[in-house]
PDB file of all heavy atoms in Angstrom:
ATOM      1  N   ASN D   9     -48.266 100.836  19.118  1.00 88.00           N
ATOM      2  CA  ASN D   9     -48.260  99.684  18.218  1.00 88.00           C
ATOM      3  C   ASN D   9     -47.462  99.896  16.942  1.00 88.00           C
ATOM      4  O   ASN D   9     -46.628  98.995  16.618  1.00 88.00           O
ATOM      5  CB  ASN D   9     -49.733  99.287  17.924  1.00 88.00           C
ATOM      6  CG  ASN D   9     -49.877  97.931  17.349  1.00 88.00           C
ATOM      7  OD1 ASN D   9     -49.067  96.965  17.588  1.00 88.00           O
ATOM      8  ND2 ASN D   9     -50.899  97.661  16.609  1.00 88.00           N
ATOM      9  N   ILE D  12     -43.788  99.793  18.014  1.00 90.00           N
ATOM     10  CA  ILE D  12     -43.369  98.378  18.273  1.00 90.00           C
ATOM     11  C   ILE D  12     -43.107  97.576  16.948  1.00 90.00           C
ATOM     12  O   ILE D  12     -42.141  96.948  16.858  1.00 90.00           O
ATOM     13  CB  ILE D  12     -44.445  97.664  19.131  1.00 90.00           C
ATOM     14  CG1 ILE D  12     -44.471  98.266  20.552  1.00 90.00           C
ATOM     15  CG2 ILE D  12     -44.241  96.184  19.132  1.00 90.00           C
ATOM     16  CD1 ILE D  12     -45.655  97.803  21.344  1.00 90.00           C
ATOM     17  N   LYS D  15     -39.852  98.857  15.455  1.00 90.00           N
ATOM     18  CA  LYS D  15     -38.705  98.374  16.132  1.00 90.00           C
ATOM     19  C   LYS D  15     -38.624  96.783  15.963  1.00 90.00           C
ATOM     20  O   LYS D  15     -37.665  96.259  16.515  1.00 90.00           O
ATOM     21  CB  LYS D  15     -38.724  98.661  17.632  1.00 90.00           C
ATOM     22  CG  LYS D  15     -38.667 100.220  17.916  1.00 90.00           C
ATOM     23  CD  LYS D  15     -37.234 100.685  17.712  1.00 90.00           C
ATOM     24  CE  LYS D  15     -36.306 100.357  18.797  1.00 90.00           C
ATOM     25  NZ  LYS D  15     -34.987 100.842  18.600  1.00 90.00           N
ATOM     26  N   ASN D  30     -48.248  91.371  31.881  1.00 85.00           N
ATOM     27  CA  ASN D  30     -48.454  90.485  30.757  1.00 85.00           C
ATOM     28  C   ASN D  30     -49.834  90.667  30.125  1.00 85.00           C
ATOM     29  O   ASN D  30     -50.805  90.611  30.795  1.00 85.00           O
ATOM     30  CB  ASN D  30     -48.278  89.013  31.084  1.00 85.00           C
ATOM     31  CG  ASN D  30     -48.318  88.117  29.910  1.00 85.00           C
ATOM     32  OD1 ASN D  30     -48.193  88.532  28.754  1.00 85.00           O
ATOM     33  ND2 ASN D  30     -48.420  86.802  30.220  1.00 85.00           N
ATOM     34  N   LYS D  35     -54.067  93.811  25.408  1.00 85.00           N
ATOM     35  CA  LYS D  35     -55.522  93.972  25.711  1.00 85.00           C
ATOM     36  C   LYS D  35     -55.998  95.409  25.375  1.00 85.00           C
ATOM     37  O   LYS D  35     -57.128  95.462  24.815  1.00 85.00           O
ATOM     38  CB  LYS D  35     -55.701  93.728  27.275  1.00 85.00           C
ATOM     39  CG  LYS D  35     -57.091  93.726  27.795  1.00 85.00           C
ATOM     40  CD  LYS D  35     -57.014  93.297  29.233  1.00 85.00           C
ATOM     41  CE  LYS D  35     -58.351  93.388  29.930  1.00 85.00           C
ATOM     42  NZ  LYS D  35     -58.212  93.108  31.397  1.00 85.00           N
ATOM     43  N   THR D  73     -34.007 112.538  16.479  1.00 67.00           N
ATOM     44  CA  THR D  73     -32.629 112.340  15.899  1.00 67.00           C
ATOM     45  C   THR D  73     -31.533 112.293  16.987  1.00 67.00           C
ATOM     46  O   THR D  73     -31.832 112.628  18.112  1.00 67.00           O
ATOM     47  CB  THR D  73     -32.303 113.589  14.972  1.00 67.00           C
ATOM     48  OG1 THR D  73     -32.282 114.785  15.738  1.00 67.00           O
ATOM     49  CG2 THR D  73     -33.340 113.687  13.877  1.00 67.00           C
ATOM     50  N   ASP D  75     -29.142 114.250  17.356  1.00 54.00           N
ATOM     51  CA  ASP D  75     -28.934 115.650  17.865  1.00 54.00           C
ATOM     52  C   ASP D  75     -29.904 115.944  18.974  1.00 54.00           C
ATOM     53  O   ASP D  75     -29.491 116.478  20.024  1.00 54.00           O
ATOM     54  CB  ASP D  75     -29.191 116.683  16.728  1.00 54.00           C
ATOM     55  CG  ASP D  75     -28.111 116.561  15.690  1.00 54.00           C
ATOM     56  OD1 ASP D  75     -26.996 115.996  15.956  1.00 54.00           O
ATOM     57  OD2 ASP D  75     -28.349 117.083  14.535  1.00 54.00           O
ATOM     58  N   GLU D  81     -30.036 117.948  29.417  1.00 48.00           N
ATOM     59  CA  GLU D  81     -31.271 117.526  30.071  1.00 48.00           C
ATOM     60  C   GLU D  81     -32.184 118.609  30.530  1.00 48.00           C
ATOM     61  O   GLU D  81     -33.334 118.417  30.744  1.00 48.00           O
ATOM     62  CB  GLU D  81     -30.838 116.658  31.278  1.00 48.00           C
ATOM     63  CG  GLU D  81     -30.463 115.320  30.891  1.00 48.00           C
ATOM     64  CD  GLU D  81     -30.594 114.318  32.050  1.00 48.00           C
ATOM     65  OE1 GLU D  81     -31.365 114.454  32.939  1.00 48.00           O
ATOM     66  OE2 GLU D  81     -29.766 113.388  32.059  1.00 48.00           O
ATOM     67  N   PRO D  87     -39.714 119.155  37.446  1.00 58.00           N
ATOM     68  CA  PRO D  87     -39.586 119.859  38.721  1.00 58.00           C
ATOM     69  C   PRO D  87     -39.093 118.900  39.804  1.00 58.00           C
ATOM     70  O   PRO D  87     -39.563 117.791  39.847  1.00 58.00           O
ATOM     71  CB  PRO D  87     -40.917 120.502  39.013  1.00 58.00           C
ATOM     72  CG  PRO D  87     -41.818 119.831  38.101  1.00 58.00           C
ATOM     73  CD  PRO D  87     -41.044 119.229  36.993  1.00 58.00           C
ATOM     74  N   GLU D  91     -39.908 121.885  44.669  1.00 73.00           N
ATOM     75  CA  GLU D  91     -40.634 122.818  43.741  1.00 73.00           C
ATOM     76  C   GLU D  91     -42.123 122.403  43.764  1.00 73.00           C
ATOM     77  O   GLU D  91     -43.005 123.187  43.813  1.00 73.00           O
ATOM     78  CB  GLU D  91     -40.067 122.890  42.441  1.00 73.00           C
ATOM     79  CG  GLU D  91     -38.767 123.584  42.355  1.00 73.00           C
ATOM     80  CD  GLU D  91     -38.149 123.494  40.935  1.00 73.00           C
ATOM     81  OE1 GLU D  91     -38.953 123.423  39.974  1.00 73.00           O
ATOM     82  OE2 GLU D  91     -36.897 123.558  40.804  1.00 73.00           O
ATOM     83  N   THR D 103     -60.314 122.626  52.370  1.00 90.00           N
ATOM     84  CA  THR D 103     -61.026 122.265  53.629  1.00 90.00           C
ATOM     85  C   THR D 103     -60.158 122.862  54.739  1.00 90.00           C
ATOM     86  O   THR D 103     -58.961 123.144  54.591  1.00 90.00           O
ATOM     87  CB  THR D 103     -61.136 120.863  53.866  1.00 90.00           C
ATOM     88  OG1 THR D 103     -59.826 120.205  53.902  1.00 90.00           O
ATOM     89  CG2 THR D 103     -61.942 120.216  52.671  1.00 90.00           C
ATOM     90  N   LEU D 116     -42.854 122.442  59.644  1.00 86.00           N
ATOM     91  CA  LEU D 116     -41.824 121.444  59.627  1.00 86.00           C
ATOM     92  C   LEU D 116     -40.698 121.845  58.688  1.00 86.00           C
ATOM     93  O   LEU D 116     -39.567 121.651  58.878  1.00 86.00           O
ATOM     94  CB  LEU D 116     -42.482 120.117  59.178  1.00 86.00           C
ATOM     95  CG  LEU D 116     -43.382 119.443  60.157  1.00 86.00           C
ATOM     96  CD1 LEU D 116     -44.085 118.271  59.560  1.00 86.00           C
ATOM     97  CD2 LEU D 116     -42.470 118.918  61.284  1.00 86.00           C
ATOM     98  N   ASN D 127     -26.684 123.258  61.590  1.00 75.00           N
ATOM     99  CA  ASN D 127     -25.614 122.258  61.283  1.00 75.00           C
ATOM    100  C   ASN D 127     -24.535 122.803  60.376  1.00 75.00           C
ATOM    101  O   ASN D 127     -23.409 122.538  60.572  1.00 75.00           O
ATOM    102  CB  ASN D 127     -26.227 121.020  60.661  1.00 75.00           C
ATOM    103  CG  ASN D 127     -27.006 120.123  61.634  1.00 75.00           C
ATOM    104  OD1 ASN D 127     -26.676 120.161  62.839  1.00 75.00           O
ATOM    105  ND2 ASN D 127     -27.890 119.300  61.205  1.00 75.00           N
ATOM    106  N   ASP D 128     -25.004 123.620  59.408  1.00 75.00           N
ATOM    107  CA  ASP D 128     -24.046 124.309  58.491  1.00 75.00           C
ATOM    108  C   ASP D 128     -23.047 125.132  59.280  1.00 75.00           C
ATOM    109  O   ASP D 128     -21.870 125.177  59.067  1.00 75.00           O
ATOM    110  CB  ASP D 128     -24.738 125.059  57.387  1.00 75.00           C
ATOM    111  CG  ASP D 128     -25.431 124.185  56.337  1.00 75.00           C
ATOM    112  OD1 ASP D 128     -25.149 122.972  56.311  1.00 75.00           O
ATOM    113  OD2 ASP D 128     -26.207 124.724  55.510  1.00 75.00           O
ATOM    114  N   LYS D 133     -17.820 126.284  61.725  1.00 77.00           N
ATOM    115  CA  LYS D 133     -16.987 126.557  62.895  1.00 77.00           C
ATOM    116  C   LYS D 133     -15.910 125.445  63.080  1.00 77.00           C
ATOM    117  O   LYS D 133     -14.752 125.725  63.351  1.00 77.00           O
ATOM    118  CB  LYS D 133     -17.822 126.667  64.195  1.00 77.00           C
ATOM    119  CG  LYS D 133     -18.606 127.911  64.281  1.00 77.00           C
ATOM    120  CD  LYS D 133     -19.451 127.973  65.595  1.00 77.00           C
ATOM    121  CE  LYS D 133     -20.293 129.229  65.641  1.00 77.00           C
ATOM    122  NZ  LYS D 133     -21.163 129.210  66.766  1.00 77.00           N
ATOM    123  N   LYS D 136     -13.332 125.888  60.429  1.00 77.00           N
ATOM    124  CA  LYS D 136     -12.432 127.044  60.758  1.00 77.00           C
ATOM    125  C   LYS D 136     -11.411 126.638  61.819  1.00 77.00           C
ATOM    126  O   LYS D 136     -10.246 126.998  61.743  1.00 77.00           O
ATOM    127  CB  LYS D 136     -13.274 128.220  61.234  1.00 77.00           C
ATOM    128  CG  LYS D 136     -13.995 128.917  60.078  1.00 77.00           C
ATOM    129  CD  LYS D 136     -14.843 130.114  60.534  1.00 77.00           C
ATOM    130  CE  LYS D 136     -15.553 130.770  59.464  1.00 77.00           C
ATOM    131  NZ  LYS D 136     -16.471 131.820  59.918  1.00 77.00           N
TER     132      LYS D 136
END
Side-chain angles (χ1 to χ4, degrees):
N9 195 24
I12 291 167
K15 295 288 285 184
N30 187 14
K35 188 176 176 183
T73 64
D75 292 340
E81 282 200 31
E91 289 175 28
T103 65
L116 288 169
N127 284 337
D128 288 348
K133 286 179 184 177
K136 285 179 183 178

